[in-house]
DNA sequence: TAAAGCTGGCTGAATGCTCATTCATTATTC
DNA sequence: GAATAATGAATGAGCATTCAGCCAGCTTTA
């Protein structure tokens, strides 16, 4: 052992790579151990079981993403809800493209997680979605977004649109459209869809 | 043996229930067999293996959905692309709500399928998405939709929005919004987003 | 008419493989 | 020389898949 080098995150990073390659169910603990250059048993010193690795991974990574995008929104969008949607879209797609392996894991496993881990409520993910509904509410207060759009519906529609688009890239990584072009398209559709006609 | 009663579809229907309850990986062949009132071995007379059940299920069920929605579009939307989007959205959500168990399976497993069944290309699903891009192209030809919207991006965004919304219902079946209200909201956002300003 | 033989669908217990998890042992650190 | 951290072989549970045999109904034979 040369260095202790934070095994916890070393294992999580290895897990992202392995889960993205094989999917959660086909990934063996021994695969993750090998990838993290650690013994099989060591993993159990840091995590309770295989699911716990996946959940920790969600919490930590989505947590980071939330931080990033909140910072970006505060620093660049000075209270302009249209701009905020555009920034959110661009950041989401950019992140999915930069971190392909993480994106695959989130794409594939996030949906399942509620299924087989009944007790796990995925609060970080809800928090991520709530950034969108927050933007909508702000836009409605400022009178630039139509008041009849339900923020709770909009947040899912907007996230779903981005997520499904990102899925295309993951499945066939040679995108025909650029990130900015796509983020632009999607936010344009939604902004035109939600904007107050008077404000146009 | 009283009746031969089409074991193939009896097994598929059982599989939908079991997969929706436990997820593909946790579902045992013996669970499906019991649910279908059939011996474990019988399943292998109709399907090659566990994956084959899932793939057959996708193909057949998505095939039915495609048929339904195409019929509906032909009979009710007489060449009005705005109306077509509204019909597609309503039909999709209605179907996900009527067939909760199927919806769960599609939601949870469709994403994964490309992962662990590398060879399976999921052509039926593409066909379903292409209905949307077809509507967009038609709208652009007729001059009611903006020509700068990319149909290939729009189809994913629209589907993604519907799919993510449906997911909410699956996770917490006591919807706060009605199907029609939601379908209305989503298609309104997208129609406003894609419509040619002149045509407004 | 009845017994005997066939046939193809169906059965479900047995097989064999794949791991997640454990824990006695070993290495490292202070 | 404790105490702490890490190791990895052994355990045992879980389950997809197989296949030898069963059975219902039909055909042939006497």
């Amino acid at each position: 052992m040369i260095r202790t080098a934070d095994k916890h995150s070393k294992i999580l990073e290895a897990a992202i790579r392995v889960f993205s390659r094989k999917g959660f169910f086909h990934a063996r603990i021994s695969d993750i151990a090998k990838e993290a250059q650690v013994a099989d048993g060591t993993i159990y010193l840091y995590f309770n079981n295989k699911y716990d690795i996946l959940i920790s991974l969600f919490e930590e990574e989505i947590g980071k993403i939330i931080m990033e995008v909140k910072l970006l929104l505060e620093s660049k969008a000075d209270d302009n809800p249209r701009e905020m949607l555009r920034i959110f879209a661009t950041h989401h797609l950019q992140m999915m493209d930069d971190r392909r392996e993480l994106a695959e894991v989130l794409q594939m496993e996030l949906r399942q997680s509620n299924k087989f881990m009944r007790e796990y409520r995925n609060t970080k993910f809800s928090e991520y979605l709530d950034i969108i509904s927050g933007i909508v509410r702000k836009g409605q207060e400022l009178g630039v977004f139509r008041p009849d759009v339900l923020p709770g519906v909009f947040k899912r529609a907007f996230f779903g649109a981005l997520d499904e688009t990102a899925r295309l890239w993951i499945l066939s990584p040679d995108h025909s459209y650029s990130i900015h072009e796509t983020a632009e398209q999607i936010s344009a559709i939604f902004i035109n869809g939600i904007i107050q006609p008077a404000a146009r």
Side-chain angles (χ1 to χ4, degrees), chain A residues 95-162:
Chain A
M95 178 270 297
M96 295 292 256
D97 196 53
D98 288 347
R99 308 199 54 197
R100 226 35 104 60
E101 286 165 330
L102 174 61
E104 278 196 71
V105 178
L106 295 180
Q107 279 274 341
M108 305 291 162
E109 317 297 348
L110 197 56
R111 316 225 138 194
Q112 298 242 332
S113 62
N114 287 75
K115 191 84 204 159
F116 47 76
M117 300 172 288
R118 293 275 180 198
E119 76 294 353
Y120 173 53
R121 284 286 78 182
N122 222 326
T123 51
K124 279 284 170 197
F125 178 65
S126 304
E127 194 183 332
Y128 188 57
L129 288 191
D130 286 340
I131 295 174
I132 304 173
S133 46
I135 297 174
V136 174
R137 280 199 197 84
K138 169 163 254 159
Q140 290 176 327
E141 279 164 26
L142 294 177
V144 292
F145 288 167
R146 321 163 78 101
D148 56 315
V149 170
L150 296 163
V153 172
F154 187 94
K155 73 174 176 189
R156 300 209 157 245
F158 191 63
F159 173 78
L162 292 173

Side-chain angles (χ1 to χ4, degrees), chain A residues 43-177:
Chain A
I43 290 181
Y44 290 87
L45 300 175
Y46 293 90
F47 301 93
N48 298 324
N49 51 48
K50 206 179 156 186
Y51 291 139
D52 190 34
I53 301 175
L54 187 61
I55 292 178
S56 305
L57 193 161
F58 286 161
E59 296 282 318
E60 297 192 18
E61 296 300 329
I62 298 178
K64 284 187 217 162
I65 295 169
I66 290 173
M67 293 257 291
E68 278 171 29
V69 75
K70 280 191 171 168
L71 255 168
L72 208 54
L73 286 173
E74 281 168 23
S75 69
K76 296 221 167 176
D78 45 29
D79 281 353
N80 178 343
R82 296 165 66 150
E83 191 55 22
M84 286 171 127
L85 286 181
R86 199 173 285 121
I87 288 174
F88 189 97
T90 307
H91 177 267
H92 185 86
L93 293 179
Q94 187 72 61
M95 178 270 297
M96 295 292 256
D97 196 53
D98 288 347
R99 308 199 54 197
R100 226 35 104 60
E101 286 165 330
L102 174 61
E104 278 196 71
V105 178
L106 295 180
Q107 279 274 341
M108 305 291 162
E109 317 297 348
L110 197 56
R111 316 225 138 194
Q112 298 242 332
S113 62
N114 287 75
K115 191 84 204 159
F116 47 76
M117 300 172 288
R118 293 275 180 198
E119 76 294 353
Y120 173 53
R121 284 286 78 182
N122 222 326
T123 51
K124 279 284 170 197
F125 178 65
S126 304
E127 194 183 332
Y128 188 57
L129 288 191
D130 286 340
I131 295 174
I132 304 173
S133 46
I135 297 174
V136 174
R137 280 199 197 84
K138 169 163 254 159
Q140 290 176 327
E141 279 164 26
L142 294 177
V144 292
F145 288 167
R146 321 163 78 101
D148 56 315
V149 170
L150 296 163
V153 172
F154 187 94
K155 73 174 176 189
R156 300 209 157 245
F158 191 63
F159 173 78
L162 292 173
D163 192 51
E164 184 65 26
T165 307
R167 197 159 80 92
L168 174 69
W169 293 353
I170 287 165
L171 292 178
S172 50
D174 46 328
H175 350 130
S176 20
Y177 318 121

